[in-house]
Amino acid sequence: MQTISTTQDLAAFCDRAKGQPYITVDTEFLRERTYYSKLCLIQLALPGDKVEDAVLVDPLVDGLSLDPLLDLFRDENTVKVFHAARQDLEIFYIDHGVIPKPLFDTQVAAMVCGFGEQVGYETLVKRIAKQQLDKSSRFTDWSRRPLTDAQKTYALADVTHLRQIYEFLSRKLEETGRARWVGEEIATLIDPETYITRPEEAWKRIKTRSNSVRFLAVVRALAQFRESHAQSRNIPRNRVFKDDALVELASTKPATMQDLGRSRLLLREARKGDIAEGILAAIKAGLNCPPDQMPTVPKQRDKQQVNPALADLLRVLLKAKTENYGVASKLIAPASDLDLIASGERDVAALRGWRREVFGEDALRLCQGEIALAAKGKNVVVIET
């Protein structure tokens, strides 16, 4: 097992890769104690089964530059194959401003090819490569050196079997004519906007039960402070305060340090110092937010206009379509999209692109009463009205 620890060796391997149709890529990283992921190991494999075709790259070695790999990531002639690529891509974009292209994500492709919801790599190895993975090193601290042979073997398995999985899935997509479907999903993965976290938008991820715009203005201010504080100190946002504490603070609206001390959910460290001052300032800013700058309630928060019966019919239609096409249902339309469609919203992902072909057109026709659903044996069929 070769571990690359010099820029020269990395450049030599990447030069070899540029003559290949694809390269499989994976990373090992740590994020439990930081806001941004710490890259600890990179695994690369070329087509073939020679020992030198699969290598580890140690980014923690002093003096090693990843520039040759970043240059390969920009090479449009070699496909970069990942499984569940989002976190890997985030690391390369945040640390180096580069997103590998062209990209192929085997998890997305597997969902399109009927392998289920967010199918794991281990499942694909079993079903396609007919191999078993040794997961004994799953919880390794990848920042520690030296790595054992068992850890290296575990890490390399994440790219060696990926070659066979990629070749199988890419053939399957060509046979079924669904390569374009995967391409539409990949477009989101290679969009830099996917990896930019703006503190002023962080509130949209917070689950609340109230649609009061004044309450949401305080939630927005608290979430913005927490995100900015976590980013500037490179600590997890939950180390500042957790979501449930944020909602409690937005509800109780403490105005003094003494008030903060009565919080049931706030961590001890957050009741003093910079965090406490930031909390109080955020609450004050939210309460004083001008009417014309109030947050707009996201459509998915407003359930009042949802037609429950229609939403149920859309779920039945979706199940019928997923069984017919063999595509994971959540990839076509999550439950939130169905509720939006049932409430009259039409700017929904399920009504665009390949999803419209598979599901969206009939979903709209069902909403307009142009079709009905009927049971035929064990199947659900569409009937023209």
Side-chain angles (χ1 to χ4, degrees), residues 3 30 48 54 64 99 122 167 190 211 271 278 284 336-337 356:
T3 300
L30 295 180
L64 172 67
I99 295 178
E122 185 176 6
E167 292 174 3
I190 62 176
N211 286 344
R271 303 183 187 198
K284 183 177 180 180
S336 57
D337 273 15
R356 187 180 182 98

Side-chain angles (χ1 to χ4, degrees), residues 93-215:
Y93 181 73
I94 296 298
D95 289 354
H96 303 285
V98 174
I99 295 178
K101 301 176 187 176
L103 178 75
F104 189 96
D105 189 322
T106 55
Q107 185 178 72
V108 173
M111 292 171 73
V112 167
C113 291
F115 282 84
E117 311 283 354
Q118 295 181 318
V119 59
Y121 180 65
E122 185 176 6
T123 299
L124 293 182
V125 171
K126 288 180 182 178
R127 295 178 63 180
I128 296 176
K130 310 300 182 185
Q131 299 289 328
Q132 294 283 341
L133 288 180
D134 177 6
K135 306 302 287 184
S136 59
S137 297
R138 176 179 295 180
F139 301 108
T140 288
D141 179 350
W142 293 102
S143 66
R144 299 186 66 178
R145 296 294 185 271
L147 297 174
T148 67
D149 285 347
Q151 290 168 333
K152 293 178 181 180
T153 299
Y154 167 88
L156 275 180
D158 283 342
V159 287
T160 52
H161 299 305
L162 194 55
R163 297 177 291 200
Q164 188 174 347
I165 293 169
Y166 165 68
E167 292 174 3
F168 175 89
L169 291 174
S170 59
R171 286 195 304 268
K172 190 79 170 175
L173 291 171
E174 290 301 323
E175 292 169 2
T176 58
R178 297 180 181 180
R180 177 175 58 84
W181 299 7
V182 173
E184 290 183 24
E185 302 307 302
I186 295 298
T188 300
L189 285 173
I190 62 176
D191 183 356
E193 282 294 318
T194 301
Y195 308 102
I196 298 174
T197 302
R198 294 181 173 85
E200 64 271 18
E201 297 177 357
W203 70 280
K204 296 177 181 179
R205 297 192 302 266
I206 308 298
K207 295 181 179 179
T208 66
R209 295 182 178 181
S210 173
N211 286 344
S212 162
V213 291
R214 182 62 64 186
F215 169 78

Side-chain angles (χ1 to χ4, degrees), residues 306-317 335 338-339 341-343:
V306 175
N307 181 330
L310 181 55
D312 287 341
L313 284 174
L314 288 169
R315 286 171 172 77
V316 174
L317 175 65
L338 299 181
D339 288 340
I341 295 171
S343 68

Side-chain angles (χ1 to χ4, degrees), residues 12-24:
F13 184 84
C14 290
D15 285 342
R16 283 183 60 206
K18 289 180 181 178
Q20 300 292 336
Y22 70 85
I23 181 171
T24 57

